[in-house]
Amino acid sequence: MRSLRLRFIPTALIAVAVAATAAVVVALPSPAHAGVIPVGEGSYTTDRPAGTKGPSNSDGAAVSPKVTSRVAGPVPTNDWWSSLVWRRYAGNPYSENLYAHPLAYHAYADGLGIGYPDSATVTGDGRTYEQVYSEDLRVGLDGLNSPDTKVDGWSDWTVSPYWSDGSRTLRATIGHGLPYAYFTGGGGNARVNFAAAPDVFHHSGPVLGVTVRGHHYALFAPSGATWSLDGPLARSNLAGRGYFSVALLPSTGALALFERYAYAFVTDTRVNWSYDADTARVTSTFTATTEPREGTGTGTLLALYRHQWRASPDSVTSHRYASPRGEMRLREGRSFTTRATFNGVLPSLPDLGGYDRTRLGSYLDAVLAEGDPLKGATDSYWTGKALGRLAMLVPIADQLGRSGDRDRLLDAIRGRLADWLTASPGEAQRLFAYDATWDTLIGYPASYGADTELNDHHFHYGYFILAAAILARYDSGWGTEGRYGGMVELLVRDAANWSRDDSRFPFMRHFDPYAGHSWASGHAGFADGNNQESSSEAMMFATAMTLFGEATGDTGMRDAGIWLYTTERAAIGEYWFDIADAVFPANYGHGTLGILWGAGGAYATWWTANPEEIHGINALPATGGSLYHGAWPADVRANVTEMRASNGGPETEWRDIIWEFLALGDPEAAKSAWDASGGNYDPEWGETKAHTYHWVYNLAATGAPDLAVTADIATYAVFSKSGVRTYVAYNSGAFARTVEFSDGVTLSVPARSMAWQTGPGSDPDPDPTPTPSPTASPSPTSSPGPATDTLYPRDGGAEGVTALLATTAGPGATTDEIPSADGANRDGTPYRPLSYVATGLTMRHDPARSTGFRLYVDAGTTVANGQQARISYDLTGDGTWDRVETYRYFATDPVPGWELYTQSAGLLSASGTLGDLSNGRVKLEVWSAIGNRPSTLRVGATETDASQSVVQIPFIRPTR
């Protein structure tokens, strides 16, 4: 699943003192060490660290791709059809709902269900709109009863599911934009079951045209075959030729057009792209290869998404389809092109802000004074965010002329990157491991399902790559293949392998070329299909890929990053922000999404219903690649207005993220908000006051991005204020160059430097490149406090005693002893439990969320202990537990030290239903499910304590 991601506190923060030499000296693993593969000065391993997991099902058991013996090459994940190849749930060996658009599908034992979800439903709370799969017909063979559905092949936007029961076989090809589903099979007659007795508008020879539930379909059998119709069942022996197709018609009058192409089966789909630096033009070509099953025709019909037909010079027919992404338009032909303008990315903003440089320096000092600038982050996501946080400060230190502090920041980045990019055996076990079963590189320690579900690799690794690009800006040798560039390239290729010849990773794992955006979930095991929350973190990945490719001279990587960037930018504008008011349903009361789903979208996040995070999650992190929001300034302003209205007032939690976003649509308003704060706020975990101050004041000086002017370099930006433009470019090359802008302005940029000028003819102000030197790495600091839907167990829990489950954090950490299970198996049944209860709660239930918890437990040196949690809800305080959730137990290790038990262990059982809390109660029970010795639970921690046990409930405070 696309895991719950707590944006306030990393899942585990461990205080680690790092010696100065450890920050820069990393031992290369011995070649004799089993499983370690050297890559320059870095390395990865083919052996997972002990005690860790790889791709798994919902029960925690390892899974392998569900593919036939015909399949060769790396297996894609994180796609719209991934639930076909990944058996996420033990009881479903077929698929979840598959949203190809305009058609939707679901695989079953007897064949393929097909539906056309053409109308949207808005949920009762107004947060989600859905066009959920509903079956119009099911296609199979007489008697087909396959034990599973496997994948028999795929292409850039199609997949071929396959059924076999030993006597009968069926193979289909389905895909994005295909109004046809193509079938081949043997061992039985073709069989189509309709959801209701259809209305027949054409029945002649091999063609049957029907209307089912208001949707028009045509069945095309081979020449010489016929269809027999008996109520809701159509059958054909296919004249013994074993193939047929089913088409969704936009109208009954389109039958002749669809019959023309019904026998040209799509066998491959492929996208190609090119970037012309001189014109800043990105051209994409989408091509479907077809094979005529009869006749010689090779054409086909393709339904284009809104972001495609708006960017294509190619003609379309008058036929239209509905989809959760707005209107799709039908093109007659096997290919089409789209065109986009690349408006550049920057490694940082220039030094043009009217800020107080002493004040800016003091904010930088505050970060440098932290014990650990990496904030104790241990897993791949929070480490990445910490690295990105430091990377954004490096150019600021440089612009302030503080080369020593710049180098301290660079050394902290260099040291932690070297640590992760080298698979050296040891206690820390920060490394990347290659899983040959799924053809993926997994960072350990992992988080949010990046290991077990292959979630979010583009989010996690994008921060690493961004930090590497900034480091390579100042230390060009570091990014070479002989040093650490090869390992960084592997991180890029894992998430977005642009080479079809690289057999280590699938082509574009996270990015869906036809849909135009990335998907976050590895398995897509949801009724609403796959999803993506943070579109801005996906753009950060594309930015990082572009910057690192540019910094290292890898034009293939750079151009692929630019293609990702421009394509996803178009999709984000249309589908997350609905900038033209043409996608979201008319009765949907929101102007933005927090999460995009295959079936629609939600004004939500995976961890909170707070409007600031819903809006902010598609704005962070603010980087030199975030300027794309400047393409729609009115929408940016409207977005912030909606956030404040939903929030009941101005932002209070993610202030900096909102201000940075607002600065791209209304720089002066963002500056006013910053000024009003006086700098008195808590930064978002991955942000700093120095970066936000620098960002807001620079944009107030230059104005918002001006996308009307382009340049002949990838690393550039143009801004405009009161009709005066500011031109910025960064030259990563070893020689000075003159950058030409499309309005005739030229800018001389020294080697490895940034330059800028305001208005034609101004003198450029270069940003010279330093040579960094090593420094020490600091130690951890505290993290921000939790959300208001968080409850805190206080000390005093003991057998037979009810302790407080408080709405505020405690005064200081203590421990409560969890009694032993006394050698028996207490799985699922509380035995001598610790109990913590919160009372008097009045809150609104958020059905888009579920219960979460983080419990820090320890069994010391005891072997075979396991702790279990139950969370119960009494909605009205009447003494009846209306909802009871029991989670699978957590097996602790025999090593002293806190371990994190979370809801990701999975539900063991649940009863009852949730509703609003009205003077209600919530109870947490913790007991030993197995073991002979007691364990401990850490409770009562302060708000800033990293290892703080909490329960997060799916409720929100009443509307103010």
Side-chain angles (χ1 to χ4, degrees):
M1 64 184 285
R2 172 66 176 82
S3 302
L4 179 98
R5 281 206 289 163
L6 301 168
R7 296 285 172 163
F8 291 99
I9 305 174
T11 55
L13 297 177
I14 301 174
V16 180
V18 182
T21 55
V24 294
V25 179
V26 179
L28 188 66
S30 165
H33 181 65
V36 171
I37 310 298
V39 181
E41 292 182 17
S43 56
Y44 64 91
T45 179
T46 56
D47 300 325
R48 283 201 312 268
T52 63
K53 286 187 174 183
S56 309
N57 66 15
S58 60
D59 293 329
V63 292
S64 299
K66 291 196 298 136
V67 296
T68 68
S69 59
R70 293 180 65 252
V71 168
V75 176
T77 58
N78 306 81
D79 216 328
W80 65 273
W81 53 266
S82 291
S83 67
L84 271 170
V85 79
W86 188 316
R87 185 172 178 174
R88 178 62 180 164
Y89 308 105
N92 182 5
Y94 305 105
S95 81
E96 302 303 318
N97 293 337
L98 308 168
Y99 295 91
H101 306 146
L103 285 163
Y105 303 93
H106 194 115
Y108 300 95
D110 58 348
L112 184 66
I114 301 177
Y116 174 39
D118 60 343
S119 60
T121 299
V122 178
T123 56
D125 62 3
R127 288 181 171 272
T128 302
Y129 79 87
E130 300 173 306
Q131 293 179 218
V132 180
Y133 169 79
S134 180
E135 191 166 299
D136 289 335
L137 53 100
R138 189 174 300 185
V139 179
L141 303 175
D142 281 343
L144 179 63
N145 185 21
S146 179
D148 58 21
T149 306
K150 292 184 171 69
V151 170
D152 196 47
W154 56 80
S155 64
D156 285 2
W157 61 89
T158 69
V159 66
S160 293
Y162 178 87
W163 296 258
S164 176
D165 61 10
S167 300
R168 290 157 286 268
T169 62
L170 180 68
R171 186 183 194 268
T173 295
I174 56 178
H176 280 319
L178 297 188
Y180 297 96
Y182 307 97
F183 297 90
T184 58
N189 293 331
R191 180 185 184 95
V192 180
N193 287 86
F194 300 104
D199 294 326
V200 179
F201 61 84
H202 182 92
H203 192 178
S204 175
V207 180
L208 175 64
V210 298
T211 300
V212 184
R213 300 171 63 240
H215 303 147
H216 311 300
Y217 292 91
L219 280 56
F220 300 100
S223 299
T226 59
W227 291 97
S228 65
L229 189 61
D230 183 7
L233 173 64
R235 299 171 70 242
S236 175
N237 65 7
L238 305 178
R241 297 161 72 181
Y243 61 83
F244 62 103
S245 63
V246 176
L248 171 69
L249 306 182
S251 67
T252 57
L255 178 63
L257 173 65
F258 277 73
E259 185 174 6
R260 187 183 311 159
Y261 300 108
Y263 302 101
F265 281 28
V266 171
T267 57
D268 187 35
T269 56
R270 180 166 294 213
V271 63
N272 291 293
W273 62 86
S274 63
Y275 164 59
D276 183 341
D278 289 339
T279 61
R281 171 66 59 83
V282 179
T283 302
S284 304
T285 303
F286 298 83
T287 303
T289 300
T290 61
E291 176 184 322
R293 289 291 176 156
E294 55 185 69
T296 58
T298 57
T300 193
L301 300 170
L302 296 170
L304 278 61
Y305 282 112
R306 177 177 174 81
H307 77 278
Q308 294 173 321
W309 55 258
R310 290 189 71 222
S312 178
D314 300 321
S315 63
V316 294
T317 70
S318 61
H319 297 296
R320 305 289 185 261
Y321 290 109
S323 85
R325 307 292 181 261
E327 183 179 84
M328 300 183 77
R329 297 186 176 181
L330 192 67
R331 172 165 169 75
E332 189 174 4
R334 294 193 302 112
S335 68
F336 64 92
T337 61
T338 61
R339 296 172 183 167
T341 298
F342 178 55
N343 293 102
V345 296
L346 289 172
S348 67
L349 292 187
D351 186 15
L352 289 169
Y355 26 70
D356 179 332
R357 299 178 80 82
T358 300
R359 184 183 185 188
L360 179 61
S362 71
Y363 291 144
L364 180 63
D365 288 336
V367 177
L368 293 169
E370 294 172 350
D372 178 7
L374 289 158
K375 303 180 74 171
T378 57
D379 64 64
S380 56
Y381 180 71
W382 292 101
T383 294
K385 276 183 73 80
L387 288 168
R389 173 178 179 261
L390 297 184
M392 294 300 98
L393 294 176
V394 170
I396 297 175
D398 194 41
Q399 291 171 4
L400 289 173
R402 295 171 53 167
S403 58
D405 291 331
R406 174 203 66 206
D407 295 350
R408 286 180 60 194
L409 292 165
L410 287 168
D411 285 341
I413 294 169
R414 183 187 289 107
R416 187 51 58 93
L417 282 175
D419 186 8
W420 273 84
L421 300 178
T422 308
S424 54
E427 293 181 3
Q429 290 294 298
R430 290 187 285 263
L431 51 77
F432 287 92
Y434 183 77
D435 186 311
T437 301
W438 289 91
D439 307 296
T440 186
L441 202 62
I442 302 173
Y444 292 98
S447 55
Y448 309 117
D451 50 351
T452 56
E453 303 176 54
L454 302 189
N455 293 341
D456 303 351
H457 284 197
H458 58 327
F459 297 162
H460 295 216
Y461 302 171
Y463 286 104
F464 282 76
I465 299 159
L466 181 64
I470 299 300
L471 179 55
R473 173 184 177 185
Y474 294 92
D475 182 356
S476 57
W478 186 92
T480 60
E481 287 190 12
R483 296 192 63 196
Y484 290 97
M487 277 299 299
V488 176
E489 181 179 328
L490 289 182
L491 299 190
V492 175
R493 287 184 180 274
D494 176 75
N497 179 21
W498 66 95
S499 172
R500 300 178 192 275
D501 298 325
D502 186 344
S503 61
R504 296 167 298 181
F505 305 104
F507 176 72
M508 291 289 163
R509 180 189 309 280
H510 276 276
F511 190 74
D512 186 326
Y514 204 88
H517 59 81
S518 307
W519 295 111
S521 170
H523 52 71
F526 306 94
D528 277 359
N530 211 326
N531 72 93
Q532 177 162 269
E533 183 181 55
S534 183
S535 62
S536 51
E537 283 180 307
M539 287 293 279
M540 177 268 297
F541 177 90
T543 299
M545 186 176 176
T546 302
L547 290 174
F548 193 76
E550 179 76 3
T552 58
D554 188 336
T555 56
M557 179 190 296
R558 182 201 67 184
D559 292 359
I562 290 171
W563 174 67
L564 291 180
Y565 184 95
T566 54
T567 308
E568 192 136 19
R569 176 187 63 187
I572 290 168
E574 298 288 357
Y575 310 138
W576 271 263
F577 292 96
D578 194 15
I579 55 174
D581 294 326
V583 174
F584 298 170
N587 61 337
Y588 187 58
H590 297 286
T592 189
L593 300 180
I595 306 174
L596 185 82
W597 286 92
Y603 185 77
T605 73
W606 278 98
W607 79 98
T608 182
N610 189 315
E612 293 181 40
E613 284 89 337
I614 293 172
H615 289 256
I617 194 55
N618 283 291
L620 64 77
T623 74
S626 301
L627 305 178
Y628 64 94
H629 287 294
W632 42 84
D635 192 83
V636 169
R637 295 190 293 269
N639 193 294
V640 174
T641 298
E642 179 187 357
M643 183 281 297
R644 290 171 176 169
S646 299
N647 201 43
E651 53 278 2
T652 60
E653 294 178 4
W654 277 12
R655 299 184 188 185
D656 42 9
I657 302 301
I658 301 302
W659 298 335
E660 288 167 331
F661 177 65
L662 179 60
L664 295 166
D666 191 339
E668 288 299 328
K671 178 178 177 293
S672 295
W674 164 272
D675 289 341
S677 78
N680 297 317
Y681 68 94
D682 293 325
E684 186 268 338
W685 197 92
E687 258 301 347
T688 62
K689 291 181 182 179
H691 181 245
T692 302
Y693 185 34
H694 182 269
W695 178 274
V696 168
Y697 266 68
N698 262 295
L699 287 168
T702 64
D706 183 341
L707 306 185
V709 179
T710 61
D712 62 354
I713 191 172
T715 43
Y716 80 97
V718 180
F719 305 89
S720 181
K721 181 177 182 180
S722 301
V724 178
R725 286 178 173 142
T726 296
Y727 305 83
V728 185
Y730 173 70
N731 173 17
S732 64
F735 303 96
R737 65 172 291 178
T738 298
V739 175
E740 297 185 7
F741 291 84
S742 60
D743 62 353
V745 170
T746 59
L747 181 64
S748 178
V749 190
R752 306 195 197 287
S753 298
M754 180 181 286
W756 51 83
Q757 70 179 37
T758 299
S762 299
D763 292 330
D765 187 356
D767 174 21
T769 300
T771 302
S773 58
T775 188
S777 296
S779 62
T781 185
S782 59
S783 55
T788 54
D789 54 358
T790 302
L791 304 176
Y792 307 80
R794 295 287 186 88
D795 60 298
E799 180 182 356
V801 176
T802 298
L804 177 63
L805 188 59
T807 56
T808 58
T814 60
T815 59
D816 285 347
E817 184 177 278
I818 308 171
S820 164
D822 292 334
N825 188 320
R826 315 290 182 177
D827 186 13
T829 304
Y831 176 72
R832 305 168 63 192
L834 304 184
S835 294
Y836 306 85
V837 176
T839 60
L841 300 177
T842 298
M843 303 176 77
R844 183 157 54 87
H845 177 226
D846 182 0
R849 300 170 55 211
S850 56
T851 303
F853 59 89
R854 301 193 308 279
L855 302 177
Y856 285 87
V857 295
D858 182 37
T861 59
T862 301
V863 177
N865 268 20
Q867 290 74 53
Q868 194 155 26
R870 172 176 289 177
I871 299 172
S872 305
Y873 298 89
D874 174 0
L875 300 178
T876 59
D878 65 357
T880 300
W881 297 107
D882 302 287
R883 169 74 173 178
V884 179
E885 300 175 1
T886 303
Y887 291 82
R888 299 181 188 276
Y889 70 79
F890 176 76
T892 45
D893 64 32
V895 179
W898 296 113
E899 297 175 72
L900 183 59
Y901 174 27
T902 74
Q903 74 287 341
S904 62
L907 268 175
L908 178 67
S909 65
S911 62
T913 57
L914 285 171
D916 292 346
L917 283 166
S918 178
N919 197 34
R921 300 186 299 156
V922 177
K923 178 170 68 173
L924 165 69
E925 296 172 276
V926 182
W927 70 96
S928 293
I930 55 174
N932 288 297
R933 299 289 299 277
S935 302
T936 52
L937 172 67
R938 196 171 193 267
V939 296
T942 63
E943 188 173 86
T944 58
D945 193 316
S947 302
Q948 180 191 65
S949 293
V950 298
V951 174
Q952 286 158 323
I953 58 176
F955 294 83
I956 57 177
R957 57 191 174 214
T959 302
R960 286 178 270 177

